[in-house]
Amino acid sequence: MYISKKDLLAITGISYGQLYRWKRERLIPEEWFIKQSSYTGQETFFPREQMLSRIRSILELKDKYSLEELARMLSPEIANGSYHPSDLEGMNEIDPLIISIFREIANKEEYGYSDIVLMIIVSEIKAQLKLTKEESKTILASTLLGVSNASTMELTIGVLKLNEHYLAYVVSANAYLYLDHMTNIVYKRNYVDVSNQIKIKYQKKFR
């Protein structure tokens, strides 16, 4: 779903100048500025959920950090380095069972930053949908495959429910799913939004 520039400025209370300054400073990706034809000529639209989330983050943090620091924290780029299980201690966003399942599936003793973000998302899915261990394993295996094969981190990770079965999906962030009336989206999360929250909260750990 998209939001027009006019509606975005009205809802967030920011000015035209702020919006384009944040674009120049790389706080907002240029590809989020989408030109579309309208009866007045051309109008700029944005991916609604991503844009509102990003502006909320900027407004909350702009008095604490420089624009350069904010750009780094809000960048979709993956943090460098590999991380040992001990590095995850104190991160209550990750369910210990999900770490155990991930280790079994991926056969890794250390994790990349993208692995950690995915484990956080699947932990959230498990908690919200009250998944069993086997259901969690299926969801993690599917999403791990999707994220590993993606050419960008601008992704949406979601879960569909068909009858009593859960199915995971990984798509580009602005993709639209056409579903039949028997299938419902029961979970949806933007990968970069989760990554940004983790970078901000644990900025000394993930750079």
Side-chain angles (χ1 to χ4, degrees):
M1 184 180 294
Y2 293 93
I3 185 171
S4 69
K5 179 167 60 181
K6 179 181 176 181
D7 289 343
L8 177 74
L9 298 181
I11 289 172
T12 60
I14 67 172
S15 69
Y16 178 95
Q18 280 179 301
L19 176 64
Y20 281 86
R21 183 187 180 200
W22 293 344
K23 177 187 177 184
R24 290 194 304 272
E25 298 290 345
R26 299 179 298 108
L27 299 180
I28 299 172
E30 186 170 351
E31 56 268 27
W32 290 8
F33 289 70
I34 302 164
K35 298 284 189 182
Q36 293 186 357
S37 298
S38 70
Y39 67 91
T40 58
Q42 269 200 335
E43 191 170 353
T44 302
F45 291 84
F46 306 91
R48 182 186 180 92
E49 291 180 17
Q50 292 168 262
M51 196 64 174
L52 292 176
S53 174
R54 177 61 56 90
I55 289 177
R56 280 195 299 269
S57 296
I58 294 170
L59 291 173
E60 288 171 4
L61 297 168
K62 66 183 181 66
D63 294 330
K64 298 179 182 177
Y65 303 99
S66 69
L67 292 180
E68 184 179 341
E69 289 172 321
L70 272 181
R72 177 173 49 79
M73 285 190 283
L74 298 176
S75 166
E77 294 176 2
I78 297 302
N80 295 321
S82 59
Y83 303 90
H84 188 268
S86 61
D87 294 318
L88 308 187
E89 292 176 3
M91 295 185 67
N92 54 17
E93 294 89 354
I94 305 180
D95 186 318
L97 178 61
I98 298 302
I99 298 176
S100 173
I101 294 172
F102 185 91
R103 188 178 300 170
E104 178 185 343
I105 292 172
N107 193 27
K108 290 183 178 181
E109 292 301 322
E110 292 191 330
Y111 316 116
Y113 177 72
S114 61
D115 298 331
I116 293 170
V117 175
L118 184 59
M119 284 192 277
I120 289 169
I121 292 172
V122 177
S123 294
E124 191 174 274
I125 294 171
K126 175 180 177 290
Q128 286 191 18
L129 302 181
K130 298 179 170 56
L131 300 184
T132 65
K133 179 179 179 179
E134 284 307 308
E135 288 171 331
S136 300
K137 186 174 182 178
T138 299
I139 295 293
L140 182 54
S142 299
T143 52
L144 178 60
L145 180 63
V147 170
S148 299
N149 289 327
S151 59
T152 173
M153 290 297 102
E154 292 284 358
L155 301 170
T156 293
I157 294 177
V159 178
L160 307 175
K161 188 174 185 180
L162 176 60
N163 299 323
E164 296 304 312
H165 299 286
Y166 293 113
L167 305 168
Y169 67 89
V170 179
V171 296
S172 61
N174 299 321
Y176 187 82
L177 295 181
Y178 295 88
L179 305 173
D180 64 39
H181 69 282
M182 298 182 65
T183 307
N184 297 309
I185 297 176
V186 293
Y187 177 92
K188 185 170 70 171
R189 199 79 152 88
N190 181 274
Y191 181 96
V192 172
D193 281 350
V194 177
S195 173
N196 290 342
Q197 292 167 11
I198 295 305
K199 281 185 186 177
I200 291 165
K201 183 174 180 180
Y202 300 103
Q203 58 180 293
K204 292 183 180 178
K205 189 187 295 282
F206 304 119
R207 295 183 178 277

